[in-house]
Amino acid sequence: MTAQAIIQSLASGLLMGLLYGLIAVGLALIFGLMDVTNFAHGEFLMIAMYVSFFLFTFFAIDPLLSAPLVAAAMFVFGAVIYLLIVRFAMRAKTNAGMVQIFTTFGLAIVLRGLAQFFFTPDYRSIPQSWLGGKTISFAGIFLPEPQLVGALVSIAAFAGLYFFIHRTDFGRALEATREDPGAVALVGIDKNRVFAFGWGLGAGLVGLAGAIMAVFFYIYPDVGASFALIAYVTVALGGFGSVFGAFAGGIIVGLVEAMTALMLPPSLKSVGIYAVYLLVVFIRPRGLFGSM
Amino acid sequence: MDRNFAARRRRDLIVAAVLAALAALAPLFVKDVYVQNILILTLMYAALSQSWNILSGYCGQISLGHALYFGIGAYTTELLFTKFGVLPWFGMLAGGAIAAVIAMGLGYPFFRLRGHYFVIATIVIAEIGLLLFQNWEWAGAAMGITIPVRGDSWLKFQFMRSKLPYFYFALALCCLAWFVTWWLEDSKWGFWWRAVKDNPEAAESLGVVVFNSKMGAAAVSAFLVAIGGAFYAQFLAYIDPESVMGFQFSLLMALPAVLGGIGTLWGPVLGAAILIPMTELTRSFIGGSGRGVDLIVYGTLIVLIALALPQGLVSLFSRSKAKGATR
């Protein structure tokens, strides 16, 4: 194994890792805001990929151009899901954790079923796009363009999120609601609106990731499931609720996955991610940046 | 309260005996193989969920990785049978013992973790197990193991002509898991577990050895689930990693208990009696189209039940029972 091969694989791992971070951040955001794990997060990704696919197929809009549209559509979708379903799961007085888990889990199954019903179980892909299949070579290292753009979008999204949370009124309301929803109500902030906004934001971010994933990944009803577990591990690795833990977690997951693929047969590449997760939580039971 | 508790326990035992006797008579009226199949699966999942409930419900350590123990039970039994000719009955016990030892070995680091970190660790470890079995050539890798036909006999626990023996074994396993739970409810362990679930720090300060009681719950729970896995392998006569260690088993063990009432004596049985036939029927009547209608119906029901009955179906029965459920 040459140094070249190692650097090549680390570079692609880093790009993929930044995308994993973008996929996972919505999960971390929602958890941090209201202590709810969205078990339909993978299905949100799946829907975003389909939206991107159909915008391309019917309107010939390149996924790169449609990404903001997909994110906006997913924002609305996430907020509606909160208002129509999750809001009621928050009202449970007993077994609240269980109710939330199974409500979002049931939702995941419904969304998968709906995708099968309307879109059939067929694997689809976007055959030709501006970025699809292209690579950039840089000092002898080849970087696939879709992943590269995805990584840049991810960095931009995290930077934007940082600015939003720390510099805007709504971001501060978000932070305040997360610290003490009861006190927030006293100063006239509608908790439900903040939560709906949080769900919208979380879904919008995974929507952004989905739009880019659609360029280089197959699109099918179960596609979310394969990324959901990685997203949970990413969030837990960074520490539940820590938005920037998701960023670091994503990078670690991407790098570890790439390194494992170098050493073990491809079918075992996820073992490395799982092993690193276990190792990290055995040493730090609340993840790398988790505080609660 | 003490007298009420004793009375409730006596009543539970009588109800269970009556239900078991009625279930044992069911094959007299149910001749249809398809329906028998559903009954067998229902009893099996009731047993599995009851076992899962010991660790996750009573002791409060939510595991979504019990598929690992299920698969270990199945694989131990079939590897011993096909490679060394060991009878499934011994393989079953060996599988249970191995699962219990692994559960305790994993518990050692795992039980330091709380909440979501623990749940994700259980999912991840079962996935590692699945991936390792998929790559383990000697154990058949992803192709799995076909169990050779040696003719119908209780000695070899293999029945091709009729499914009834499997039905009776599943019923016995379900009764065993229920009885173990019933018995543990009133034992030192049962009280420890509830204390650990409600408030581990307070329990520790009152002299409950929190760590050991979690280990005990994990071992009992894993042992019983592995027996279920061994049964399932004999029942299918064919195993591969995905079909005995896939994530769906972890879910199908958890769902009935949650649906029926987590941490309750009757929750898993009640949940399985509704969920498993529903799953099978939606799959065969509206799932055949491959268009996902079964998933839509199934998922909608899970959402509705979770929202409408946060304490599970047992809360539908008298208020005193609902109180017992949360105790």
Side-chain angles (χ1 to χ4, degrees):
Chain A
M1 197 190 311
T2 62
Q4 186 84 8
I6 295 175
I7 295 171
Q8 170 72 55
S9 123
L10 283 179
S12 11
L14 178 67
L15 297 186
M16 208 50 219
L18 284 162
L19 255 178
Y20 285 151
L22 185 58
I23 294 174
V25 65
L27 198 63
L29 191 78
I30 290 169
F31 183 88
L33 185 63
M34 49 206 278
D35 270 5
V36 170
T37 305
N38 176 16
F39 278 89
H41 194 71
E43 279 60 38
F44 282 23
L45 180 76
M46 176 268 292
I47 291 170
M49 290 171 78
Y50 271 110
V51 173
S52 180
F53 172 79
F54 286 115
L55 284 175
F56 176 81
T57 317
F58 293 131
F59 304 105
I61 309 176
D62 191 87
L64 200 59
L65 270 187
S66 70
L69 292 179
V70 176
M74 288 308 292
F75 180 94
V76 174
F77 179 75
V80 168
I81 289 286
Y82 172 77
L83 291 171
L84 287 186
I85 298 169
V86 182
R87 186 158 57 107
F88 299 100
M90 300 297 291
R91 291 190 186 159
K93 298 219 165 35
T94 48
N95 266 347
M98 277 294 150
V99 173
Q100 289 153 11
I101 289 174
F102 284 93
T103 305
T104 56
F105 176 70
L107 178 68
I109 297 179
V110 173
L111 293 176
R112 237 182 271 178
L114 287 171
Q116 264 188 38
F117 186 79
F118 288 110
F119 311 144
T120 76
D122 294 347
Y123 280 52
R124 298 169 191 274
S125 61
I126 293 178
Q128 255 192 338
S129 60
W130 295 347
L131 301 171
K134 299 203 178 92
T135 52
I136 276 183
S137 93
F138 176 79
I141 294 162
F142 293 92
L143 298 176
E145 279 183 30
Q147 281 92 327
L148 184 64
V149 170
L152 294 174
V153 168
S154 166
I155 292 171
F158 272 100
L161 195 60
Y162 184 85
F163 176 80
F164 174 77
I165 289 177
H166 293 278
R167 296 281 185 277
T168 65
D169 281 348
F170 213 99
R172 290 200 195 96
L174 211 69
E175 272 295 289
T177 311
R178 141 193 195 159
E179 293 202 345
D180 191 342
V184 158
L186 293 177
V187 295
I189 296 176
D190 181 359
K191 191 178 70 177
N192 265 327
R193 258 179 67 191
V194 176
F195 283 169
F197 186 84
W199 272 76
L201 197 58
L205 287 163
V206 77
L208 208 52
I212 292 157
M213 298 276 301
V215 177
F216 65 94
F217 215 84
Y218 283 107
I219 303 155
Y220 52 99
D222 286 348
V223 68
S226 39
F227 288 100
L229 183 56
I230 294 184
Y232 299 127
V233 169
T234 301
V235 170
L237 201 61
F240 265 99
S242 163
V243 166
F244 301 96
F247 185 72
I251 293 175
I252 294 171
V253 165
L255 291 177
V256 168
E257 188 183 49
M259 291 316 289
T260 320
L262 277 182
M263 291 180 282
L264 295 177
S267 54
L268 284 172
K269 72 173 182 184
S270 303
V271 170
I273 304 176
Y274 303 151
V276 165
Y277 167 73
L278 293 177
L279 213 72
V280 167
V281 291
F282 291 160
I283 299 165
R284 288 184 62 88
R286 299 201 184 293
L288 290 172
F289 304 102
S291 48
M292 2 75 59
Chain B
M1 183 239 144
D2 232 354
R3 185 185 289 165
N4 278 343
F5 185 54
R8 180 175 74 83
R9 284 178 56 74
R10 260 200 310 280
R11 196 185 61 211
D12 284 338
L13 199 58
I14 294 167
V15 172
V18 172
L19 285 178
L22 286 176
L25 294 176
L28 290 178
F29 309 101
V30 180
K31 301 289 181 199
D32 186 66
V33 178
Y34 173 74
V35 180
Q36 286 181 351
N37 214 17
I38 293 182
L39 290 179
I40 293 170
L41 288 176
T42 304
L43 287 168
M44 182 187 83
Y45 281 112
L48 292 173
S49 192
Q50 195 90 46
S51 320
W52 177 86
N53 196 33
I54 292 174
L55 178 65
S56 300
Y58 282 92
C59 196
Q61 309 301 304
I62 308 283
S63 160
L64 284 180
H66 263 44
L68 179 68
Y69 308 127
F70 191 73
I72 284 172
Y75 264 98
T76 309
T77 308
E78 301 317 337
L79 284 174
L80 285 175
F81 185 57
T82 54
K83 307 273 180 186
F84 306 107
V86 178
L87 289 177
W89 296 105
F90 298 110
M92 189 178 271
L93 292 175
I98 292 174
V101 168
I102 290 180
M104 288 198 286
L106 291 175
Y108 194 75
F110 276 36
F111 285 138
R112 294 176 54 227
L113 305 175
R114 291 278 178 87
H116 293 274
Y117 297 98
F118 178 83
V119 177
I120 292 176
T122 61
I123 299 177
V124 155
I125 198 73
E127 284 296 309
I128 292 180
L130 175 67
L131 289 170
L132 292 181
F133 270 94
Q134 277 173 343
N135 286 275
W136 188 12
E137 290 300 331
W138 185 72
M143 296 294 292
I145 304 171
T146 306
I147 290 116
V149 178
R150 297 275 154 75
D152 289 16
S153 81
W154 274 102
L155 186 67
K156 298 196 175 65
F157 194 40
Q158 199 175 56
F159 310 95
M160 293 295 148
R161 279 194 294 275
S162 159
K163 290 196 182 245
L164 282 189
Y166 291 124
F167 173 84
Y168 285 110
F169 183 87
L171 179 60
L173 186 62
C174 184
C175 291
L176 174 71
W178 185 91
F179 185 76
V180 167
T181 312
W182 179 86
W183 179 65
L184 286 169
E185 243 195 357
D186 192 33
S187 72
K188 180 180 79 181
W189 288 100
F191 289 103
W192 280 11
W193 289 338
R194 284 185 292 252
V196 167
K197 179 185 180 179
D198 290 342
N199 189 339
E201 284 83 15
E204 187 90 66
S205 75
L206 291 172
V208 174
V209 189
V210 171
F211 187 74
N212 287 3
S213 53
K214 286 179 184 174
M215 290 291 243
V220 174
S221 183
F223 181 87
L224 289 170
V225 166
I227 303 277
F231 160 77
Y232 190 64
Q234 290 295 116
F235 175 60
L236 282 192
Y238 165 78
I239 58 171
D240 68 44
E242 192 63 48
S243 65
V244 291
M245 219 183 251
F247 180 64
Q248 73 271 20
F249 288 103
S250 298
L251 274 174
L252 281 172
M253 280 178 230
L255 278 173
V258 173
L259 202 65
I262 189 167
T264 64
L265 184 59
W266 289 102
V269 178
L270 194 60
I274 289 168
L275 190 75
I276 304 304
M278 191 176 91
T279 311
E280 293 298 317
L281 292 173
T282 48
R283 187 184 296 158
S284 43
F285 285 109
I286 44 185
S289 61
R291 302 219 53 185
V293 182
D294 56 328
L295 294 179
I296 299 171
V297 173
Y298 184 52
T300 308
L301 284 171
I302 292 177
V303 173
L304 290 179
I305 291 171
L307 289 178
L309 298 166
Q311 287 183 314
L313 295 163
V314 284
S315 62
L316 285 178
F317 295 82
S318 68
R319 283 187 85 175
S320 62
K321 268 207 174 168
K323 257 187 211 160
T326 51
R327 187 178 38 81

